[in-house]
Amino acid sequence: MTDVSGRPVLITGATGLIGRRVTQILLERRVDTVLCLRDSKANRRFAATHLGARVRWGDLTDPAYVSQTLAVERPRAIVHLAAVIPPQCFEDPDLARRVNVESTRTLLAAAAEMDPPPRFVHASSIGVHGPRNPHREQGVLTVDTPIAPRDVYAAQKAIAETLVRSAALPWLILRVGGVVDIEQSVRLDPAVMYFESTMPGNGRIHTVDVRDAGKAFANAVEAAAAQQILMIGGDESHRKLHHEFTDEFARALGMRRGLPDKPSSDPDVDDSWYATDWMDTAEAQQVLDFQDHTFADTLAAVRHHAGLLGLVIAPFSGLSKLVLSWMSAYPRRYAGVAEPWPRIAARWPEALVEKE
């Protein structure tokens, strides 16, 4: 068997939320790390603060760049995190497909030409399972739960999963829940706020501390398991209703009055629920040993990072709540039930896919 221990680990999407953590962890472990980055001022700044990593500048949607990078670097593992996520992918679904699907296809094809082929660790989403009505679906999500994508992002991730599973190389697919950024700054992006507001307050969400998500992907590089799909969420303390999560997170940032009230989904209408739910993470934890932070630990880290900014925000939390209500998908004092998919489609007509 060919010894590949001296070969590097290649990361795509290294500047993203999880990618930053994976890069940091691998560098702390003194792993030879190669980052695939587009040439931009922001990415140059990122590279300058991660001097232990080597960078291959280029565009993942360019097959020539991908082929050359893999031919030169010959990685022993590829951690594929690059993605265009909601709501950005709703605004440009063609670009999202080139990144989320075609770059995956190109990477897999180039990797399969290597001897031996590298391990491929692929970032997917629990969104592939589609809307989940907890009043009908009493159990938690597992890898065997049928997939039924409702939006273009989930549909693209489902296609990418199929590509990975059919590839002639060792792979792991990590379906990720709601990643909590512990260094979250207060950014009132209207599109993000609108999208977040569409999620029903009584919907179930399974979060994961970004530090634990990063560790899951970093550990997947060396994991003995292969040809497996794993569900990536925090321990059971991370199982929340959506309004519980958003209110607790907002208060950790200093917004004492929380966020605007969220309408609830109708237990009798399956399509009034969003594509989030609680997960069975036992197998993933056994394989990857990544759940280090409870939800309370995560909130403590958010409060610590907010620091003085949280104290400054606190007196204006009522105003912040009012501003966020203006950005919401629902009018103020909305008394109806949640309707996430019509509200998403109203702003992004190309965001949804047909129900099967």
Side-chain angles (χ1 to χ4, degrees), residues 31-43:
V31 174
D32 185 11
T33 305
V34 177
L35 312 180
C36 291
L37 297 177
R38 295 189 67 174
D39 197 354
S40 69
K41 290 183 179 179
N43 287 350

Side-chain angles (χ1 to χ4, degrees), residues 159-211:
I159 294 170
E161 282 195 11
T162 300
L163 295 173
V164 174
R165 295 175 71 176
S166 63
L169 43 70
W171 54 263
L172 284 174
I173 293 172
L174 276 55
R175 290 181 182 160
V176 184
V179 181
V180 183
D181 183 0
I182 62 171
E183 298 179 354
Q184 175 73 51
S185 58
V186 180
R187 298 188 297 268
L188 299 181
D189 183 314
V192 173
M193 294 299 102
Y194 181 98
F195 173 64
E196 197 282 332
S197 74
T198 66
M199 300 179 192
N202 60 340
R204 302 195 301 197
I205 183 171
H206 197 146
T207 60
V208 58
D209 190 300
V210 66
R211 295 169 292 184

Side-chain angles (χ1 to χ4, degrees), residues 69-143:
T69 296
L70 266 62
V72 172
E73 297 294 346
R74 299 193 61 76
R76 60 186 171 94
I78 298 172
V79 181
H80 186 34
L81 289 155
V84 181
I85 63 174
Q88 292 83 5
C89 64
F90 300 158
E91 297 171 351
D92 194 342
D94 290 336
L95 171 63
R97 183 178 179 86
R98 291 199 298 274
V99 175
N100 297 342
V101 177
E102 298 308 326
S103 73
T104 305
R105 190 192 309 274
T106 303
L107 275 167
L108 289 167
E113 294 296 318
M114 295 174 54
D115 183 21
R119 167 181 291 261
F120 198 90
V121 181
H122 181 68
S124 189
S125 166
I126 65 167
V128 298
H129 296 287
R132 292 273 294 177
N133 181 345
H135 295 271
R136 298 190 196 277
E137 305 288 346
Q138 296 297 317
V140 297
L141 284 171
T142 73
V143 296

